[in-house]
Amino acid sequence: MVDMKGTQLIHEYLRHNKKFPHVFCAGCGHGIVLGSLIRAIHGLGLSKDEVCVVAGIGCSGRLAAYVDFNTVHTTHGRALTFATGIKMAKPGMHVIVVMGDGDSMAIGGNHLIHAARRNIGVTALILNNNIYGMTGGQCSPTTPSGSFSMTTPMGQMEQSFDCVELCSAAKANYVARGTVFHVKKLDQMIMDGISNPGFGVVEILTPCHTQYGRKNKYRTPVDMYKMLKKDVIDIERYNKLSEAEKAKKTPSGVFVQKDEPGLEEKFYEMAANCQGGA
Amino acid sequence: MSVKRKGNSTVTIFPDWCKGCGICAAFCPAKVMELNDQGKAVVIREEECINCGFCELHCPDFAIMVRPKVDDEIPAVCRAVLEKAARRTDRPAASGGAAEKTGSGKKKE
């Protein structure tokens, strides 16, 4: 298991008694994220028992069923609250939360900002596909203005959430944005997010061809990956662009990296102080 | 992974796991893969493979495995997936699919 790589390595971490291939549509980026998560955990040298994957509801919630770690499939929008409980009870466990954009920013938006404010030591992977994919393609808080969905057939009129700015403003310790096209960078971001203390957020742009792409002039799954390749650029390059060019591109990379202690570290320190003083 | 030369690697596709999204065929720099008439990826020019690893990293279904040619040993978990596919082809029901599955089965040898 030491010198394995690629698909051989991933097959080692899957639950082969589950039905394969997995349920995601052809060309869905969630499968790539699953592979990236496995490679990141293997790269850090963690054993299967040291990791707990908490998933919410939605397409992304299915990820937890396929991997052979400790896994919890929780209620809609509450994945972070379950993860908070697990982390406080077992601070040595590496808790990774997998959420979709609906799960993290719509119904669970409040939990996300408060988890970031508390700086609880879990890592949140936010799989952002700009749409509520599993329930029929309604527009979500991250659907870009002007794009089309099942519930906005004439174009979306509202402003959309920027996950990175939201989490940075709420004082998360580690905030990054990656895509499923730039996989090696994504591996590194997930590894950094897990090894960083405090709350880590990795927003992952992943295409939903079935619900989003078809209505927005991306005829095949490959067109969506070409869009990611062209439009998502590194933060250093993005900062050098003019305002007009910036509107067309999306920055990716590491936005915030701090070393503040997490809530569970502060709590156990306080508990030790109280017992010592009594 | 270190040596990126042509003709040093074997590309195996698990036909049961492939959903035919076409990412591997579209982005492969050496055009090793192609989609067949059933929409599944097949290896057509294995000798051109430069072992860049793009298809293996970007396959959402974990259906592609690129290995060095000298390394004949397929790991046990992966072999189980291939054997399952081979068992299905033995059944009399599949007619069109049988030809394609045995076709890609040959390539692993």
Side-chain angles (χ1 to χ4, degrees):
Chain A
M1 202 156 140
V2 181
D3 55 347
M4 276 192 189
K5 64 175 183 65
T7 306
Q8 301 178 22
L9 170 74
I10 288 165
H11 280 226
E12 201 65 42
Y13 281 85
L14 295 178
R15 286 177 178 151
H16 281 264
N17 55 349
K18 298 283 169 188
K19 233 180 177 181
F20 275 97
H22 48 55
V23 293
F24 307 126
C25 309
C28 176
H30 286 28
I32 303 177
V33 177
L34 179 61
S36 200
L37 175 65
I38 289 171
R39 277 193 299 274
I41 289 169
H42 182 81
L44 287 171
L46 306 177
S47 78
K48 287 179 184 176
D49 289 338
E50 282 178 296
V51 177
C52 182
V53 177
V54 185
I57 298 296
C59 296
S60 63
R62 302 289 308 179
L63 282 189
Y66 294 117
V67 277
D68 193 15
F69 304 120
N70 304 298
T71 55
V72 196
H73 193 183
T74 65
T75 48
H76 194 15
R78 272 72 187 160
L80 274 168
T81 58
F82 282 83
T84 304
I86 294 167
K87 186 71 184 178
M88 292 306 277
K90 282 182 97 70
M93 186 81 88
H94 294 272
V95 184
I96 299 162
V97 188
V98 183
M99 298 178 288
D101 51 337
D103 214 25
S104 63
M105 275 174 279
I107 185 169
N110 214 358
H111 298 297
L112 179 71
I113 53 177
H114 287 286
R117 177 181 66 83
R118 285 185 193 123
N119 208 13
I120 177 83
V122 304
T123 311
L125 307 184
I126 297 177
L127 277 59
N128 182 1
N129 55 12
N130 298 337
I131 204 119
Y132 294 149
M134 201 179 71
T135 50
Q138 295 90 342
C139 84
S140 84
T142 54
T143 308
S145 311
S147 63
F148 303 95
S149 72
M150 199 66 96
T151 49
T152 55
M154 310 301 282
Q156 144 87 308
M157 289 178 292
E158 300 159 9
Q159 295 278 333
S160 62
F161 257 143
D162 187 330
C163 174
V164 164
E165 284 181 18
L166 186 74
C167 297
S168 310
K171 304 269 166 40
N173 243 5
Y174 181 87
V175 182
R177 181 191 278 139
T179 76
V180 292
F181 188 83
H182 309 92
V183 175
K184 286 191 175 165
K185 279 186 197 162
L186 181 61
D187 287 3
Q188 192 58 46
M189 281 172 196
I190 298 176
M191 278 165 83
D192 290 349
I194 295 171
S195 49
N196 218 49
F199 191 60
V201 183
V202 184
E203 186 196 4
I204 304 165
L205 303 177
T206 150
C208 178
H209 167 254
T210 308
Q211 298 291 4
Y212 183 80
R214 284 188 308 156
K215 295 193 178 56
N216 291 283
K217 311 246 167 36
Y218 299 109
R219 292 172 64 90
T220 61
V222 174
D223 289 344
M224 297 219 71
Y225 284 86
K226 282 183 179 158
M227 179 268 288
L228 284 181
K229 185 183 180 185
K230 189 163 73 72
D231 286 355
V232 182
I233 57 172
D234 220 45
I235 177 77
E236 286 95 18
R237 269 181 66 201
Y238 180 83
N239 286 337
K240 287 175 193 157
L241 297 178
S242 67
E243 286 302 318
E245 286 170 320
K246 273 183 184 177
K248 292 179 200 155
K249 305 279 183 188
T250 312
S252 75
V254 180
F255 291 80
V256 178
Q257 192 161 21
K258 292 184 291 189
D259 275 332
E260 307 275 324
L263 177 70
E264 76 286 353
E265 290 174 45
K266 285 186 194 165
F267 174 79
Y268 279 93
E269 199 184 317
M270 184 197 75
N273 284 345
C274 290
Q275 281 167 354
Chain B
M1 203 61 150
S2 55
V3 184
K4 287 189 179 171
R5 270 205 315 242
K6 278 185 193 176
N8 280 357
S9 34
T10 319
V11 184
T12 314
I13 293 177
F14 306 131
D16 271 16
W17 287 33
C18 175
K19 286 181 190 147
C21 59
I23 297 170
C24 52
F27 288 102
C28 178
K31 303 271 174 278
V32 172
M33 263 90 59
E34 198 177 61
L35 296 187
N36 65 2
D37 51 355
Q38 295 175 348
K40 301 219 175 193
V42 283
V43 183
I44 48 163
R45 301 198 299 166
E46 194 177 62
E47 68 284 354
E48 295 288 311
C49 177
I50 53 166
N51 195 10
C52 66
F54 187 98
C55 54
E56 204 172 14
L57 286 176
H58 287 78
C59 179
D61 300 296
F62 319 123
I64 305 177
M65 190 161 65
V66 183
R67 291 174 302 123
K69 251 185 186 149
V70 283
D71 178 19
D72 273 332
E73 188 79 14
I74 295 184
V77 272
C78 303
R79 208 183 310 124
V81 174
L82 279 173
E83 276 167 11
K84 213 167 148 190
R87 272 206 302 280
R88 288 208 188 137
T89 39
D90 292 341
R91 283 182 206 157
S95 56
E100 132 66 9
K101 278 164 190 169
T102 39
S104 55
K106 265 179 202 164
K107 280 173 189 92
K108 74 182 187 225
E109 284 149 22

Coordinates of all heavy atoms in Angstrom, one line a residue, chain A residues 36-102:
Chain A
S36 N -9.6 12.9 -5.1 CA -8.7 13.9 -4.5 C -8.6 13.8 -3.0 O -7.5 13.9 -2.4 CB -9.1 15.3 -4.9 OG -8.1 16.2 -4.9
L37 N -9.8 13.6 -2.4 CA -9.9 13.5 -0.9 C -9.1 12.2 -0.5 O -8.3 12.3 0.5 CB -11.3 13.3 -0.5 CG -11.6 13.1 0.9 CD1 -11.2 14.2 1.8 CD2 -13.1 12.8 1.1
I38 N -9.2 11.1 -1.2 CA -8.5 9.9 -0.8 C -7.0 10.1 -1.0 O -6.2 9.7 -0.1 CB -9.0 8.7 -1.7 CG1 -10.4 8.3 -1.3 CG2 -8.1 7.5 -1.6 CD1 -11.1 7.3 -2.2
R39 N -6.6 10.7 -2.1 CA -5.1 10.9 -2.3 C -4.6 11.9 -1.2 O -3.4 11.7 -0.7 CB -4.9 11.5 -3.7 CG -4.8 10.5 -4.8 CD -4.3 11.1 -6.0 NE -5.1 12.2 -6.5 CZ -6.2 12.0 -7.2 NH1 -6.5 10.9 -7.7 NH2 -6.9 13.1 -7.6
A40 N -5.4 12.9 -0.8 CA -4.9 13.8 0.2 C -4.7 13.1 1.6 O -3.7 13.3 2.3 CB -5.9 15.0 0.4
I41 N -5.7 12.2 1.9 CA -5.6 11.5 3.2 C -4.4 10.5 3.2 O -3.7 10.4 4.1 CB -6.9 10.8 3.5 CG1 -8.0 11.9 3.9 CG2 -6.8 9.8 4.6 CD1 -9.4 11.4 3.9
H42 N -4.2 9.9 2.0 CA -3.1 9.0 1.9 C -1.8 9.7 1.9 O -0.8 9.3 2.6 CB -3.2 8.2 0.6 CG -2.1 7.2 0.4 ND1 -2.2 5.9 0.9 CD2 -1.0 7.3 -0.4 CE1 -1.1 5.3 0.6 NE2 -0.3 6.1 -0.2
G43 N -1.8 10.9 1.3 CA -0.5 11.7 1.3 C -0.1 12.2 2.7 O 1.1 12.3 2.9
L44 N -1.1 12.4 3.5 CA -0.8 12.8 4.9 C -0.4 11.6 5.8 O 0.0 11.8 6.9 CB -2.0 13.5 5.5 CG -2.3 14.9 5.0 CD1 -3.6 15.4 5.6 CD2 -1.2 15.9 5.4
G45 N -0.6 10.4 5.3 CA -0.2 9.2 6.0 C -1.2 8.9 7.2 O -0.8 8.3 8.2
L46 N -2.4 9.3 7.1 CA -3.4 9.1 8.1 C -4.0 7.7 7.9 O -4.1 7.2 6.8 CB -4.5 10.1 8.1 CG -4.2 11.5 8.1 CD1 -5.4 12.4 8.0 CD2 -3.5 11.9 9.4
S47 N -4.3 7.0 9.0 CA -4.9 5.7 8.9 C -6.4 5.9 8.8 O -6.9 6.9 9.0 CB -4.6 4.8 10.1 OG -5.4 5.2 11.2
K48 N -7.1 4.8 8.3 CA -8.5 4.9 8.0 C -9.3 5.3 9.3 O -10.3 5.9 9.3 CB -9.1 3.6 7.4 CG -8.6 3.4 6.0 CD -9.2 2.1 5.5 CE -8.7 1.9 4.1 NZ -9.1 0.5 3.5
D49 N -8.8 4.8 10.5 CA -9.5 5.0 11.7 C -9.4 6.4 12.3 O -10.2 6.8 13.1 CB -9.0 4.0 12.8 CG -9.5 2.6 12.5 OD1 -10.5 2.5 11.8 OD2 -8.8 1.7 13.0
E50 N -8.4 7.2 11.8 CA -8.2 8.5 12.3 C -9.0 9.6 11.6 O -9.0 10.7 12.0 CB -6.7 8.9 12.1 CG -5.7 8.3 13.0 CD -4.3 8.7 12.7 OE1 -3.8 8.3 11.6 OE2 -3.7 9.4 13.5
V51 N -9.7 9.1 10.6 CA -10.5 10.1 9.7 C -12.0 9.9 9.9 O -12.4 8.7 9.9 CB -10.1 9.9 8.3 CG1 -10.8 10.9 7.4 CG2 -8.6 10.2 8.1
C52 N -12.7 11.0 10.0 CA -14.2 10.9 10.0 C -14.7 11.8 8.9 O -14.4 13.0 8.9 CB -14.7 11.3 11.4 SG -16.5 11.1 11.5
V53 N -15.5 11.2 8.0 CA -16.0 12.0 6.9 C -17.5 12.2 7.2 O -18.3 11.2 7.4 CB -15.9 11.3 5.6 CG1 -16.6 12.1 4.5 CG2 -14.4 11.1 5.2
V54 N -17.9 13.5 7.3 CA -19.3 13.8 7.6 C -19.9 14.4 6.4 O -19.3 15.3 5.8 CB -19.4 14.8 8.8 CG1 -20.9 15.1 9.2 CG2 -18.6 14.3 10.0
A55 N -21.0 13.9 5.9 CA -21.6 14.4 4.7 C -23.1 14.8 5.0 O -23.7 14.2 5.8 CB -21.6 13.4 3.6
G56 N -23.5 15.8 4.3 CA -24.9 16.3 4.4 C -25.8 15.6 3.4 O -25.6 14.4 3.1
I57 N -26.8 16.3 2.9 CA -27.7 15.7 1.9 C -27.5 16.3 0.6 O -27.0 17.5 0.4 CB -29.2 16.1 2.4 CG1 -29.5 15.5 3.8 CG2 -30.2 15.6 1.4 CD1 -29.5 14.0 3.8
G58 N -27.7 15.6 -0.5 CA -27.5 16.1 -1.8 C -26.6 15.1 -2.6 O -26.3 14.0 -2.0
C59 N -26.2 15.5 -3.8 CA -25.3 14.6 -4.5 C -24.0 14.4 -3.7 O -23.5 13.3 -3.6 CB -25.0 15.3 -5.8 SG -26.3 15.4 -7.0
S60 N -23.5 15.5 -3.1 CA -22.3 15.4 -2.4 C -22.4 14.5 -1.2 O -21.4 13.9 -0.7 CB -21.8 16.8 -2.0 OG -22.7 17.3 -1.1
G61 N -23.6 14.4 -0.6 CA -23.8 13.5 0.6 C -23.5 12.1 0.3 O -23.2 11.3 1.2
R62 N -23.6 11.7 -1.0 CA -23.3 10.3 -1.4 C -21.9 9.9 -1.2 O -21.5 8.7 -1.2 CB -23.8 10.0 -2.8 CG -25.2 10.3 -3.1 CD -26.1 9.3 -2.5 NE -25.8 8.0 -2.8 CZ -26.4 6.9 -2.3 NH1 -27.4 7.1 -1.5 NH2 -26.1 5.7 -2.6
L63 N -21.0 10.9 -1.2 CA -19.5 10.6 -1.2 C -19.2 9.8 0.0 O -18.4 8.9 -0.1 CB -18.7 11.9 -1.1 CG -18.5 12.8 -2.3 CD1 -17.5 13.9 -2.0 CD2 -18.0 12.0 -3.4
A64 N -19.8 10.1 1.1 CA -19.4 9.4 2.4 C -19.7 7.9 2.3 O -19.1 7.1 3.0 CB -20.2 10.0 3.6
A65 N -20.7 7.5 1.5 CA -21.1 6.1 1.5 C -20.0 5.2 0.8 O -19.9 4.0 1.1 CB -22.4 5.9 0.7
Y66 N -19.2 5.8 0.0 CA -18.3 5.0 -0.9 C -16.9 4.8 -0.3 O -16.1 4.0 -0.8 CB -18.1 5.7 -2.2 CG -19.4 5.6 -3.0 CD1 -20.1 6.8 -3.4 CD2 -20.0 4.4 -3.4 CE1 -21.3 6.7 -4.1 CE2 -21.2 4.4 -4.1 CZ -21.8 5.5 -4.4 OH -23.0 5.5 -5.1
V67 N -16.5 5.6 0.7 CA -15.2 5.5 1.2 C -15.1 4.8 2.6 O -16.1 4.9 3.4 CB -14.5 6.9 1.4 CG1 -13.9 7.4 0.1 CG2 -15.5 7.9 2.0
D68 N -14.0 4.1 2.8 CA -13.9 3.2 3.9 C -13.3 3.9 5.2 O -12.4 3.4 5.7 CB -13.1 2.0 3.5 CG -13.2 0.8 4.5 OD1 -14.1 0.9 5.3 OD2 -12.4 -0.1 4.5
F69 N -13.8 5.1 5.5 CA -13.4 5.7 6.7 C -14.6 5.6 7.7 O -15.6 5.0 7.4 CB -13.1 7.2 6.5 CG -12.0 7.4 5.4 CD1 -12.3 8.1 4.3 CD2 -10.8 6.9 5.6 CE1 -11.4 8.3 3.3 CE2 -9.8 7.1 4.6 CZ -10.1 7.8 3.5
N70 N -14.4 6.3 8.9 CA -15.6 6.5 9.7 C -16.5 7.5 9.0 O -16.0 8.6 8.7 CB -15.2 7.1 11.1 CG -14.2 6.2 11.8 OD1 -14.5 5.1 12.1 ND2 -13.0 6.7 12.0
T71 N -17.7 7.2 8.7 CA -18.5 8.1 8.0 C -19.9 8.3 8.7 O -20.4 7.4 9.3 CB -18.8 7.6 6.5 OG1 -19.4 6.4 6.6 CG2 -17.5 7.6 5.7
V72 N -20.4 9.6 8.5 CA -21.7 9.9 9.0 C -22.5 10.6 7.9 O -21.9 11.5 7.3 CB -21.7 10.9 10.2 CG1 -23.0 10.9 11.0 CG2 -20.6 10.5 11.2
H73 N -23.7 10.1 7.6 CA -24.5 10.8 6.7 C -25.6 11.5 7.4 O -26.4 10.9 8.1 CB -25.1 9.7 5.7 CG -25.8 10.2 4.5 ND1 -26.4 9.5 3.6 CD2 -25.9 11.5 4.0 CE1 -26.9 10.2 2.6 NE2 -26.5 11.4 2.9
T74 N -25.6 12.8 7.4 CA -26.4 13.6 8.4 C -27.6 14.3 7.7 O -27.8 14.1 6.5 CB -25.5 14.7 9.1 OG1 -25.1 15.6 8.1 CG2 -24.3 14.1 9.7
T75 N -28.3 15.1 8.5 CA -29.5 15.7 8.0 C -29.1 17.0 7.2 O -27.9 17.4 7.2 CB -30.3 16.2 9.2 OG1 -29.5 16.9 10.1 CG2 -31.0 15.1 9.9
H76 N -30.0 17.5 6.5 CA -29.8 18.5 5.5 C -29.3 19.8 6.1 O -30.0 20.4 7.0 CB -31.0 18.8 4.7 CG -30.8 19.6 3.4 ND1 -29.5 19.8 2.9 CD2 -31.6 20.2 2.6 CE1 -29.7 20.5 1.8 NE2 -30.9 20.8 1.6
G77 N -28.1 20.3 5.8 CA -27.6 21.5 6.3 C -26.9 21.5 7.6 O -26.3 22.4 8.0
R78 N -27.0 20.3 8.3 CA -26.5 20.2 9.7 C -25.2 19.4 9.7 O -24.8 19.0 10.8 CB -27.5 19.6 10.6 CG -28.5 20.6 11.2 CD -29.4 21.1 10.2 NE -30.2 22.2 10.7 CZ -30.9 23.1 9.9 NH1 -30.8 23.0 8.6 NH2 -31.6 24.0 10.4
A79 N -24.5 19.2 8.6 CA -23.3 18.4 8.6 C -22.3 19.0 9.6 O -21.6 18.3 10.3 CB -22.8 18.3 7.2
L80 N -22.2 20.4 9.6 CA -21.2 21.1 10.4 C -21.5 20.9 11.9 O -20.5 20.9 12.7 CB -21.1 22.5 10.0 CG -20.2 22.8 8.8 CD1 -20.4 24.2 8.3 CD2 -18.7 22.6 9.2
T81 N -22.7 20.9 12.2 CA -23.0 20.8 13.7 C -22.7 19.4 14.2 O -22.1 19.3 15.3 CB -24.5 21.1 13.9 OG1 -25.3 20.1 13.1 CG2 -24.9 22.4 13.5
F82 N -23.0 18.4 13.4 CA -22.6 17.0 13.7 C -21.1 16.9 13.9 O -20.5 16.3 14.8 CB -23.1 16.0 12.7 CG -24.5 15.6 12.8 CD1 -25.5 16.5 12.2 CD2 -24.9 14.5 13.4 CE1 -26.8 16.1 12.3 CE2 -26.3 14.2 13.5 CZ -27.2 15.0 12.9
A83 N -20.4 17.5 12.9 CA -18.9 17.5 12.9 C -18.4 18.2 14.1 O -17.4 17.8 14.7 CB -18.4 18.2 11.6
T84 N -19.0 19.3 14.5 CA -18.6 20.1 15.7 C -18.6 19.1 17.0 O -17.7 19.1 17.7 CB -19.5 21.3 15.9 OG1 -19.4 22.1 14.8 CG2 -19.0 22.1 17.1
G85 N -19.7 18.4 17.1 CA -19.9 17.5 18.2 C -18.8 16.4 18.2 O -18.2 16.1 19.2
I86 N -18.5 15.8 17.0 CA -17.5 14.8 16.9 C -16.1 15.3 17.3 O -15.4 14.7 18.0 CB -17.5 14.2 15.5 CG1 -18.8 13.5 15.2 CG2 -16.4 13.2 15.3 CD1 -19.1 13.2 13.7
K87 N -15.8 16.5 16.8 CA -14.5 17.1 17.0 C -14.3 17.4 18.5 O -13.2 17.2 19.1 CB -14.3 18.3 16.2 CG -12.9 18.9 16.2 CD -11.9 18.1 15.5 CE -10.5 18.6 15.6 NZ -9.6 17.8 14.9
M88 N -15.4 17.9 19.2 CA -15.2 18.3 20.6 C -15.1 17.0 21.4 O -14.4 17.0 22.4 CB -16.4 19.1 21.1 CG -16.5 20.4 20.5 SD -15.1 21.4 20.7 CE -15.3 22.0 22.4
A89 N -15.8 15.9 21.0 CA -15.7 14.7 21.8 C -14.4 14.0 21.5 O -13.8 13.4 22.5 CB -16.8 13.7 21.4
K90 N -13.9 14.0 20.3 CA -12.6 13.3 20.0 C -11.7 14.3 19.2 O -11.7 14.3 18.0 CB -12.9 12.1 19.1 CG -13.4 10.9 19.8 CD -13.6 9.7 18.9 CE -12.5 8.8 18.9 NZ -12.3 8.0 20.1
P91 N -11.0 15.1 20.0 CA -10.2 16.1 19.3 C -9.0 15.6 18.5 O -8.5 16.3 17.6 CB -9.6 17.0 20.5 CG -9.8 16.2 21.7 CD -10.9 15.2 21.4
G92 N -8.7 14.3 18.7 CA -7.6 13.7 17.8 C -8.1 13.3 16.5 O -7.3 13.0 15.6
M93 N -9.4 13.2 16.3 CA -9.9 12.7 15.0 C -9.8 13.8 14.0 O -10.0 15.0 14.3 CB -11.4 12.4 15.3 CG -12.1 11.7 14.1 SD -11.8 10.0 14.0 CE -13.0 9.3 15.0
H94 N -9.5 13.4 12.7 CA -9.5 14.4 11.6 C -10.9 14.4 11.0 O -11.2 13.5 10.3 CB -8.4 14.1 10.6 CG -7.0 14.2 11.1 ND1 -6.3 15.3 11.1 CD2 -6.3 13.3 11.7 CE1 -5.1 15.2 11.7 NE2 -5.1 13.9 12.1
V95 N -11.7 15.5 11.3 CA -13.0 15.5 10.8 C -13.1 16.3 9.5 O -12.7 17.4 9.5 CB -14.0 16.1 11.9 CG1 -15.4 16.0 11.4 CG2 -13.8 15.4 13.2
I96 N -13.6 15.7 8.5 CA -13.8 16.3 7.2 C -15.2 16.3 6.8 O -15.9 15.3 6.8 CB -12.9 15.5 6.1 CG1 -11.5 15.5 6.5 CG2 -13.1 16.2 4.7 CD1 -10.7 14.5 5.8
V97 N -15.7 17.5 6.5 CA -17.1 17.7 6.2 C -17.3 17.9 4.7 O -16.6 18.8 4.1 CB -17.7 18.9 7.0 CG1 -19.2 18.9 6.8 CG2 -17.4 18.8 8.4
V98 N -18.1 17.1 4.1 CA -18.3 17.3 2.6 C -19.7 17.8 2.4 O -20.7 17.2 2.9 CB -18.2 15.9 1.9 CG1 -18.4 16.1 0.4 CG2 -16.9 15.3 2.2
M99 N -19.8 19.0 1.8 CA -21.2 19.6 1.7 C -21.3 20.2 0.2 O -20.3 20.5 -0.4 CB -21.3 20.8 2.6 CG -21.3 20.5 4.1 SD -21.4 21.9 5.1 CE -19.8 22.7 4.8
G100 N -22.5 20.3 -0.2 CA -22.8 20.9 -1.5 C -23.0 22.4 -1.2 O -22.9 22.9 -0.1
D101 N -23.3 23.1 -2.3 CA -23.5 24.6 -2.1 C -24.9 24.8 -1.4 O -25.0 25.8 -0.6 CB -23.4 25.4 -3.4 CG -24.2 24.8 -4.5 OD1 -24.5 23.6 -4.4 OD2 -24.6 25.5 -5.5
G102 N -25.9 24.0 -1.7 CA -27.1 24.2 -1.0 C -27.0 23.8 0.5 O -27.5 24.5 1.4

